[in-house]
Amino acid sequence: MEERVYQWAKDLCAGAGENETFLKEFWEALTKSQGIYEEFAYYLERQTFLCAYKVSGYSVVDIMVWQIDHFKANLDFSKSGATYTGGQNGERMLLMAFDTMLKMEQDPEKYVTLLRSETGTDYPDKY
């Protein structure tokens, strides 16, 4: 199973435009975290989220929603006349959610603060 999970991580990194160095660091962190590894493997097998493992009360889906809020905010910002060049794709958003969760395990306070304070633009008077 581990070989299959590694190949998927490699394919996901390639699809997200990440290089070999990113893959190596991501894989090393992933294999050190039993909880996130299980979430990652579960998604590979079922194409849905398990959400059994949480860091400071946040699941990988919570992190994805936060990232989608940022994506939407960037789109809103670009519509206001600014240029948005931070292109996203589904593979990248999925990979970054798992990567962020891995980083959150190491520094939960930093990411909890970001998750609570950085939101999208879906409320009046944001900009």
Side-chain angles (χ1 to χ4, degrees):
M1 177 68 167
E2 186 171 319
E3 186 176 311
R4 194 162 163 245
V5 174
Y6 176 77
Q7 185 59 50
W8 185 56
K10 184 177 179 180
D11 293 344
L12 200 57
C13 285
E18 294 296 340
N19 62 26
E20 192 72 29
T21 301
F22 181 92
L23 169 62
K24 182 181 177 207
E25 291 171 0
F26 177 78
W27 182 250
E28 185 176 311
L30 186 64
T31 55
K32 287 180 181 177
S33 173
Q34 181 180 349
I36 299 173
Y37 183 92
E38 288 174 7
E39 294 282 335
F40 192 77
Y42 185 93
Y43 189 89
L44 166 64
E45 291 291 313
R46 295 170 182 84
Q47 299 299 297
T48 192
F49 296 98
L50 177 61
C51 295
Y53 183 74
K54 296 181 180 182
V55 178
S56 297
Y58 292 94
S59 71
V60 69
V61 170
D62 296 320
I63 293 168
M64 276 197 82
V65 168
W66 174 65
Q67 290 176 332
I68 289 167
D69 281 348
H70 278 254
F71 175 71
K72 289 175 10 185
N74 283 324
L75 285 176
D76 290 347
F77 186 68
S78 68
K79 290 177 185 172
S80 69
T83 303
Y84 173 63
T85 58
Q88 294 284 345
N89 64 40
E91 290 174 322
R92 180 161 185 75
M93 293 180 94
L94 181 63
L95 178 64
M96 290 301 107
F98 281 106
D99 186 59
T100 298
M101 193 172 199
L102 288 165
K103 290 174 181 166
M104 189 173 178
E105 262 188 336
Q106 301 306 308
D107 190 1
E109 260 185 61
K110 173 184 174 182
Y111 289 92
V112 167
T113 298
L114 291 172
L115 283 158
R116 289 182 179 162
S117 64
E118 293 182 357
T119 60
T121 58
D122 287 348
Y123 56 91
D125 302 321
K126 173 69 179 189
Y127 290 106

